[in-house]
Amino acid sequence: MEPTTPSRERLDARQLTTFAHDLLVRAGMPHDKADAVATVLVDGDLMGHTTHGLQLLAPYLAEIEKGSMRLEGEPRVLSSHPAAQLWDGLRLPGPWLVLQALEHAARTARAQGTGTVVIRRSHHIASLASYHRRAAEQGLVLVLTCSDPNSASVAPFGGLDPVFTPNPISAGFPTGGTPVSVDISTSTTTNGLTNRLHQEGGKLPAPWLLDGHGQASDDPGVLFTEPKGTILPLGGLDSGHKGYGLSLLVEALTGGLAGHGRADPREGWGATVFLQVIDPAAFAGQAAFTQQMDEVARQCRASRPADAQRPVRLPGERAYRLAQSHVEQGVVLQESILPALVPWAAKYGVALPSS
């Protein structure tokens, strides 16, 4: 009997991780890679990044089914120096590749002060924020960014024709308390959100898009009708030159350093990744780093709020608090996620998670 779609109830995070892992394994992914992918996806939902959590699982399974995501093997090291490596990801699962790169870069940073891994031809890597805590818990700073040279939905500032993907750029680092986690797109919004809202018939909170005639719009439908519109760079119509500049920086750190990007034939949904780990111990020291960042955090929190009901908080603070709440009380998934996974659960004989 085919599973039915459950109501939107709180679901145990461990059960969700097991569910995702079992689907991936049934689809042919080795257990270690499935562990990595499932954990990173569920981390996205725990932290509230719902467009880059389990919403990606059905598309990942579709990629496996059509052979666009490679399941077996290891990345190929193309260039190696004491503090830097370039990998060919061979279209292996992105979350697993990033965790492998993070482990290597962290080990290198402890020896060299910093460690950088650039990955060409990775598959999609999910939510960048999912990786920050892993570095911060080791007392390390992580800078992580990616681009997808296989698609384009963001125009350069002043243009109508897309060149970039949302090109997220992120950083995470420890403090004496909750780590800081910065994860922003260099565009006003993401493909994940616009795709979801388009399917649901919803609108964006503000005119973050340009239609195909150069008019600002909050309707994601302009990205799917001819002439196709684009996502505005971060800063929008007023100061989008800033997001445009950041998009170019991401392209340099990813496609430029990887030697593989928009100048090459498209291979399908994927990512080019820049990952750098920095060990504060190699500079002024861990204690000095913590002292400085704790004082910055104190001053930020002490800043008088413009809205008394919304005190100033640090980037990632809400996400980490939300994650802890979800672990303790269960996760309420975005309502479109489980229905998209029902056919896959039926196909592979995996029971849907229940409250």
PDB file of all heavy atoms in Angstrom, residues 176-192:
ATOM      1  N   GLY A 176      32.615  33.318  22.548  1.00  0.00           N
ATOM      2  CA  GLY A 176      32.564  32.655  23.833  1.00  0.00           C
ATOM      3  C   GLY A 176      31.230  31.994  24.096  1.00  0.00           C
ATOM      4  O   GLY A 176      31.108  31.183  25.015  1.00  0.00           O
ATOM      5  N   GLY A 177      30.215  32.318  23.279  1.00  0.00           N
ATOM      6  CA  GLY A 177      28.893  31.724  23.405  1.00  0.00           C
ATOM      7  C   GLY A 177      28.457  31.099  22.095  1.00  0.00           C
ATOM      8  O   GLY A 177      29.163  30.260  21.529  1.00  0.00           O
ATOM      9  N   THR A 178      27.295  31.532  21.611  1.00  0.00           N
ATOM     10  CA  THR A 178      26.775  30.998  20.351  1.00  0.00           C
ATOM     11  C   THR A 178      27.666  31.422  19.185  1.00  0.00           C
ATOM     12  O   THR A 178      28.035  32.603  19.077  1.00  0.00           O
ATOM     13  CB  THR A 178      25.344  31.518  20.107  1.00  0.00           C
ATOM     14  OG1 THR A 178      24.523  31.147  21.214  1.00  0.00           O
ATOM     15  CG2 THR A 178      24.771  30.930  18.832  1.00  0.00           C
ATOM     16  N   PRO A 179      28.044  30.504  18.281  1.00  0.00           N
ATOM     17  CA  PRO A 179      28.863  30.900  17.133  1.00  0.00           C
ATOM     18  C   PRO A 179      28.109  31.874  16.226  1.00  0.00           C
ATOM     19  O   PRO A 179      26.874  31.935  16.235  1.00  0.00           O
ATOM     20  CB  PRO A 179      29.111  29.575  16.402  1.00  0.00           C
ATOM     21  CG  PRO A 179      28.824  28.512  17.400  1.00  0.00           C
ATOM     22  CD  PRO A 179      27.781  29.054  18.307  1.00  0.00           C
ATOM     23  N   VAL A 180      28.847  32.635  15.467  1.00  0.00           N
ATOM     24  CA  VAL A 180      28.264  33.498  14.442  1.00  0.00           C
ATOM     25  C   VAL A 180      28.176  32.700  13.145  1.00  0.00           C
ATOM     26  O   VAL A 180      29.105  31.966  12.790  1.00  0.00           O
ATOM     27  CB  VAL A 180      29.105  34.768  14.243  1.00  0.00           C
ATOM     28  CG1 VAL A 180      28.657  35.534  13.003  1.00  0.00           C
ATOM     29  CG2 VAL A 180      29.012  35.658  15.480  1.00  0.00           C
ATOM     30  N   SER A 181      27.057  32.844  12.448  1.00  0.00           N
ATOM     31  CA  SER A 181      26.864  32.156  11.168  1.00  0.00           C
ATOM     32  C   SER A 181      26.249  33.129  10.181  1.00  0.00           C
ATOM     33  O   SER A 181      25.080  33.517  10.321  1.00  0.00           O
ATOM     34  CB  SER A 181      25.954  30.927  11.338  1.00  0.00           C
ATOM     35  OG  SER A 181      25.679  30.315  10.088  1.00  0.00           O
ATOM     36  N   VAL A 182      27.026  33.556   9.199  1.00  0.00           N
ATOM     37  CA  VAL A 182      26.574  34.483   8.169  1.00  0.00           C
ATOM     38  C   VAL A 182      26.413  33.703   6.868  1.00  0.00           C
ATOM     39  O   VAL A 182      27.361  33.074   6.398  1.00  0.00           O
ATOM     40  CB  VAL A 182      27.593  35.624   7.954  1.00  0.00           C
ATOM     41  CG1 VAL A 182      27.108  36.576   6.876  1.00  0.00           C
ATOM     42  CG2 VAL A 182      27.863  36.363   9.251  1.00  0.00           C
ATOM     43  N   ASP A 183      25.220  33.709   6.302  1.00  0.00           N
ATOM     44  CA  ASP A 183      24.961  32.973   5.058  1.00  0.00           C
ATOM     45  C   ASP A 183      24.015  33.813   4.218  1.00  0.00           C
ATOM     46  O   ASP A 183      22.819  33.891   4.492  1.00  0.00           O
ATOM     47  CB  ASP A 183      24.338  31.606   5.372  1.00  0.00           C
ATOM     48  CG  ASP A 183      24.057  30.782   4.110  1.00  0.00           C
ATOM     49  OD1 ASP A 183      24.443  31.225   3.013  1.00  0.00           O
ATOM     50  OD2 ASP A 183      23.436  29.715   4.231  1.00  0.00           O
ATOM     51  N   ILE A 184      24.566  34.483   3.210  1.00  0.00           N
ATOM     52  CA  ILE A 184      23.750  35.388   2.402  1.00  0.00           C
ATOM     53  C   ILE A 184      23.969  35.115   0.912  1.00  0.00           C
ATOM     54  O   ILE A 184      25.065  34.769   0.478  1.00  0.00           O
ATOM     55  CB  ILE A 184      24.065  36.865   2.696  1.00  0.00           C
ATOM     56  CG1 ILE A 184      25.564  37.169   2.482  1.00  0.00           C
ATOM     57  CG2 ILE A 184      23.647  37.243   4.109  1.00  0.00           C
ATOM     58  CD1 ILE A 184      25.912  38.626   2.581  1.00  0.00           C
ATOM     59  N   SER A 185      22.907  35.272   0.159  1.00  0.00           N
ATOM     60  CA  SER A 185      23.029  35.255  -1.280  1.00  0.00           C
ATOM     61  C   SER A 185      23.535  36.615  -1.738  1.00  0.00           C
ATOM     62  O   SER A 185      23.259  37.637  -1.103  1.00  0.00           O
ATOM     63  CB  SER A 185      21.676  34.971  -1.939  1.00  0.00           C
ATOM     64  OG  SER A 185      21.207  33.694  -1.590  1.00  0.00           O
ATOM     65  N   THR A 186      24.257  36.644  -2.826  1.00  0.00           N
ATOM     66  CA  THR A 186      24.672  37.920  -3.390  1.00  0.00           C
ATOM     67  C   THR A 186      23.597  38.474  -4.323  1.00  0.00           C
ATOM     68  O   THR A 186      23.827  39.441  -5.028  1.00  0.00           O
ATOM     69  CB  THR A 186      26.016  37.774  -4.133  1.00  0.00           C
ATOM     70  OG1 THR A 186      25.894  36.776  -5.153  1.00  0.00           O
ATOM     71  CG2 THR A 186      27.122  37.369  -3.173  1.00  0.00           C
ATOM     72  N   SER A 187      22.423  37.857  -4.283  1.00  0.00           N
ATOM     73  CA  SER A 187      21.234  38.349  -4.965  1.00  0.00           C
ATOM     74  C   SER A 187      20.160  38.628  -3.915  1.00  0.00           C
ATOM     75  O   SER A 187      20.295  38.240  -2.756  1.00  0.00           O
ATOM     76  CB  SER A 187      20.726  37.311  -5.978  1.00  0.00           C
ATOM     77  OG  SER A 187      20.428  36.090  -5.327  1.00  0.00           O
ATOM     78  N   THR A 188      19.074  39.268  -4.317  1.00  0.00           N
ATOM     79  CA  THR A 188      18.028  39.646  -3.366  1.00  0.00           C
ATOM     80  C   THR A 188      17.260  38.454  -2.836  1.00  0.00           C
ATOM     81  O   THR A 188      16.678  38.520  -1.749  1.00  0.00           O
ATOM     82  CB  THR A 188      17.031  40.608  -4.020  1.00  0.00           C
ATOM     83  OG1 THR A 188      16.538  40.012  -5.237  1.00  0.00           O
ATOM     84  CG2 THR A 188      17.669  41.962  -4.319  1.00  0.00           C
ATOM     85  N   THR A 189      17.223  37.349  -3.558  1.00  0.00           N
ATOM     86  CA  THR A 189      16.533  36.145  -3.128  1.00  0.00           C
ATOM     87  C   THR A 189      17.155  34.943  -3.825  1.00  0.00           C
ATOM     88  O   THR A 189      18.138  35.094  -4.560  1.00  0.00           O
ATOM     89  CB  THR A 189      15.012  36.240  -3.396  1.00  0.00           C
ATOM     90  OG1 THR A 189      14.350  35.117  -2.811  1.00  0.00           O
ATOM     91  CG2 THR A 189      14.709  36.310  -4.889  1.00  0.00           C
ATOM     92  N   THR A 190      16.597  33.768  -3.592  1.00  0.00           N
ATOM     93  CA  THR A 190      17.187  32.536  -4.119  1.00  0.00           C
ATOM     94  C   THR A 190      16.286  31.865  -5.137  1.00  0.00           C
ATOM     95  O   THR A 190      15.075  32.109  -5.188  1.00  0.00           O
ATOM     96  CB  THR A 190      17.451  31.539  -2.980  1.00  0.00           C
ATOM     97  OG1 THR A 190      16.186  31.146  -2.403  1.00  0.00           O
ATOM     98  CG2 THR A 190      18.324  32.163  -1.912  1.00  0.00           C
ATOM     99  N   ASN A 191      16.871  30.982  -5.914  1.00  0.00           N
ATOM    100  CA  ASN A 191      16.076  30.175  -6.840  1.00  0.00           C
ATOM    101  C   ASN A 191      15.114  29.267  -6.087  1.00  0.00           C
ATOM    102  O   ASN A 191      13.979  29.047  -6.525  1.00  0.00           O
ATOM    103  CB  ASN A 191      16.996  29.319  -7.724  1.00  0.00           C
ATOM    104  CG  ASN A 191      17.794  30.155  -8.694  1.00  0.00           C
ATOM    105  OD1 ASN A 191      17.306  31.145  -9.232  1.00  0.00           O
ATOM    106  ND2 ASN A 191      19.042  29.780  -8.921  1.00  0.00           N
ATOM    107  N   GLY A 192      15.561  28.733  -4.940  1.00  0.00           N
ATOM    108  CA  GLY A 192      14.705  27.837  -4.171  1.00  0.00           C
ATOM    109  C   GLY A 192      13.415  28.516  -3.736  1.00  0.00           C
ATOM    110  O   GLY A 192      12.331  27.943  -3.825  1.00  0.00           O
TER     111      GLY A 192
END
